[in-house]
Amino acid sequence: IDRLGGSCHPTRSASILGLPEVIGGSANRHVFDWNGGKGGQPFTLACLDGDALVGIATRGGTTSVDAVRGTCVSPAEWSSDSPSATRRQTGFRGRSSGAITSLNCPRGEYLVGLETWAAKTVHAEPTVQGVVPHCRRIRFQAVLSPVLGE
């Protein structure tokens, strides 16, 4: 992986019950800076609409990240007391070699950022050497609905 960055979408409660949802759409996102070089082919790892990123897996050696994939879940499942949440993998992007390391957020927390570091290679172009997810519990604000009556 020559460089790695990301984007975040806001969240809200979808109902009076306070079940969380992700607000999709390209207008509703914040893009943060990438780290690394300028080589390689661009790619996007994205969760399904309504899902949130709760982890990543990397593939590589001791000094390089050769591939990355995301782990996505429904925030309603991940935030609830339900014993299980369906995890969906985005699939690896990058090379198909190296050991796999999974880095997941604790239950109820979501991936809100990535710490990455890069170094120049023998080809003088930086590549991503490591990545650590930053997780945070998200407070979902209730959506107020008008009350009809009388």
Side-chain angles (χ1 to χ4, degrees):
I1 301 292
D2 291 324
R3 64 179 169 182
L4 195 57
S7 66
C8 297
H9 289 267
T11 59
R12 67 177 177 210
S13 290
S15 69
I16 198 70
L17 299 175
L19 295 176
E21 73 174 1
V22 176
I23 304 170
S26 60
N28 294 313
R29 70 179 181 162
H30 168 75
V31 177
F32 54 92
D33 290 337
W34 54 268
N35 189 14
K38 297 178 183 172
Q41 297 297 315
F43 65 87
T44 300
L45 294 178
C47 294
L48 298 174
D49 284 346
D51 278 2
L53 193 62
V54 297
I56 59 170
T58 61
R59 179 180 274 158
T62 57
T63 60
S64 67
V65 174
D66 295 334
V68 65
R69 77 172 176 211
T71 301
C72 308
V73 298
S74 160
E77 289 180 14
W78 195 248
S79 298
S80 73
D81 293 331
S82 170
S84 64
T86 303
R87 297 177 191 209
R88 289 171 279 285
Q89 305 291 337
T90 63
F92 275 106
R93 295 301 303 258
R95 293 187 190 160
S96 60
S97 61
I100 296 174
T101 303
S102 294
L103 308 162
N104 295 301
C105 297
R107 187 70 180 257
E109 294 188 13
Y110 301 88
L111 199 134
V112 296
L114 296 173
E115 178 181 346
T116 62
W117 56 97
K120 289 188 177 186
T121 64
V122 294
H123 305 294
E125 189 66 34
T127 61
V128 176
Q129 304 293 301
V131 59
V132 175
H134 286 254
C135 303
R136 187 176 303 147
R137 184 168 292 281
I138 296 174
R139 282 180 270 159
F140 297 95
Q141 298 179 340
V143 174
L144 298 178
S145 300
V147 177
L148 302 176
E150 305 189 344

